[in-house]
Amino acid sequence: GDNVNSTSWGASVLHAPEDGLYYGWIASMVNECTLDSWLTNSEVVLARSESPLGPFVKIRTLVPPWSHNPQTIRAPDPSAKAGHVYALFTLGDGRNFHGAPESCSPHKGPPAPPITPLPPWHVGPCTRSKPHGDAWAGCITANFTIFWSEHPNGTYLEHTAEIIDWPVHRSGRPWEYGNIGNWNPAPLVHPNGTIYVLVHPEQYGF
């Protein structure tokens, strides 16, 4: 974190053959708050080290609050100059859907930006697969953001990805997903180049 009073959560660490260093994508709580404030104060920072065991030194913030549980892969991409990209998956995309960050430090920071309104849910029929059971109202196309760069310490751009046929419970809410949900994306690269994303959704979207 920024100082000894900072709190971090987890880390996704990769060895970069480009420069031989180890890079970590880490969830860090801003304003000296603890993990109790993760839903509003978590941001994703980039750090590096000469060893996988550390110590890691913070380079900069990649995704401001709200963003959490970063997971990064080195993914094949034939359109990239080096043939691959570093793809960062997170909970949240830097918009404060859950409210402004708390201030846990005696040194007050700048005022928080307005709260980002939640995107609308357009529920329709499930086109590819029907959810199990009878508690489902239909499906949505779920959008989420992937941050990517051709170098781990390069400039990260945003890409909007879609999940087709994400189930919606009859209560009217979809499973927790993407930018606003606690869906814990865990991407992995198959030897054939296919990228899979394992998620941890909540069954009823609460």
Side-chain angles (χ1 to χ4, degrees):
D2 294 323
N3 55 53
V4 295
N5 295 320
S6 298
T7 298
S8 63
W9 171 258
S12 178
V13 176
L14 292 176
H15 177 257
E18 293 85 358
D19 57 15
L21 298 176
Y22 293 85
Y23 287 86
W25 294 260
I26 305 165
S28 178
M29 310 305 122
V30 301
N31 300 338
E32 299 186 4
C33 288
T34 66
L35 194 59
D36 289 341
S37 303
W38 74 273
L39 204 56
T40 55
N41 287 52
S42 182
E43 68 176 8
V44 174
V45 303
L46 179 67
R48 67 184 167 200
S49 172
E50 295 183 355
S51 166
L53 301 180
F56 283 83
V57 177
K58 178 182 174 180
I59 301 174
R60 66 185 188 277
T61 296
L62 292 181
V63 190
W66 177 66
S67 55
H68 194 62
N69 270 14
Q71 294 291 320
T72 303
I73 55 175
R74 192 172 184 266
D77 185 346
S79 66
K81 293 180 181 179
H84 67 270
V85 297
Y86 289 83
L88 166 62
F89 293 70
T90 66
L91 302 180
D93 61 357
R95 292 187 263 279
N96 55 340
F97 291 112
H98 301 291
E102 299 177 22
S103 180
C104 306
S105 167
H107 309 290
K108 301 296 182 182
I115 296 176
T116 305
L118 294 175
W121 295 320
H122 301 291
V123 181
C126 300
T127 59
R128 298 195 175 189
S129 61
K130 185 178 180 180
H132 296 291
D134 60 357
W136 310 108
C139 289
I140 64 172
T141 297
N143 295 329
F144 67 98
T145 302
I146 300 171
F147 302 89
W148 66 275
S149 174
E150 294 193 19
H151 188 280
N153 193 18
T155 299
Y156 281 75
L157 304 176
E158 295 185 18
H159 170 75
T160 299
E162 293 183 339
I163 303 177
I164 299 173
D165 280 357
W166 191 270
V168 175
H169 188 258
R170 63 187 175 192
S171 66
R173 294 188 61 185
W175 286 12
E176 299 284 4
Y177 77 92
N179 296 337
I180 59 173
N182 188 17
W183 73 312
N184 289 341
L188 59 90
V189 182
H190 191 276
N192 67 10
T194 302
I195 297 174
Y196 294 90
V197 182
L198 287 73
V199 301
H200 178 204
E202 299 179 14
Q203 182 175 3
Y204 301 113
F206 299 125

